[in-house]
Amino acid sequence: MDANRQKEFRAALLALQAELHAAEAASEDDRAPVALDQQAVGRLSRMDAFRAQAMALETSRRRGVELRRIAAALGRMDEGEYGYCVECGEEIAALRLELDPAVPLCIGCAPGG
């Protein structure tokens, strides 16, 4: 992979990483424990709050997974291994990297591939 192309992928990964960190910070209140003040909130409202909290926690977990994928891709760039499948070592198609610059596997090694 040429150096300019890799710089483009690095920029895309860093932008996505910053976006995910910002979203994580913005949703901090949504993941906070739900207050159990029986007088202030009705039973259905508390159930809605618990549901919203669970959804926020799951979204946070998924962001964490994506942030780890991005960190791994940036690490592969630093090691000179970016763009090559971590399983078989074959080059990952540029179009596949354009769709997901953090992808670690070629299409042949990907689940269902």
Side-chain angles (χ1 to χ4, degrees), residues 36-53:
L36 294 178
D37 183 359
Q38 303 258 346
Q39 304 303 322
V41 181
R43 185 174 59 91
L44 292 177
S45 295
R46 277 195 310 281
M47 289 173 56
D48 287 341
F50 283 127
R51 188 172 316 127
Q53 179 196 36

Side-chain angles (χ1 to χ4, degrees), residues 27-34 44-60:
S27 69
E28 187 173 346
D29 289 343
D30 296 337
R31 297 184 314 270
V34 176
L44 292 177
S45 295
R46 277 195 310 281
M47 289 173 56
D48 287 341
F50 283 127
R51 188 172 316 127
Q53 179 196 36
M55 288 174 29
L57 288 169
E58 177 59 18
T59 300
S60 178

Side-chain angles (χ1 to χ4, degrees), residues 10-99:
R10 180 180 291 275
L13 286 166
L14 290 172
L16 182 57
Q17 185 180 52
E19 182 181 319
L20 289 169
H21 280 301
E24 190 68 6
S27 69
E28 187 173 346
D29 289 343
D30 296 337
R31 297 184 314 270
V34 176
L36 294 178
D37 183 359
Q38 303 258 346
Q39 304 303 322
V41 181
R43 185 174 59 91
L44 292 177
S45 295
R46 277 195 310 281
M47 289 173 56
D48 287 341
F50 283 127
R51 188 172 316 127
Q53 179 196 36
M55 288 174 29
L57 288 169
E58 177 59 18
T59 300
S60 178
R61 185 196 67 78
R62 290 179 186 197
R63 276 191 207 109
V65 168
E66 189 63 19
L67 286 166
R68 286 189 293 279
R69 290 179 71 241
I70 291 169
L74 291 169
R76 289 192 302 277
M77 280 184 180
D78 294 341
E79 296 168 2
E81 300 290 323
Y82 182 76
Y84 296 95
C85 179
V86 298
E87 289 290 322
C88 70
E90 292 295 318
E91 190 169 357
I92 299 172
L95 182 59
R96 184 165 170 78
L97 289 170
E98 287 173 16
L99 294 172

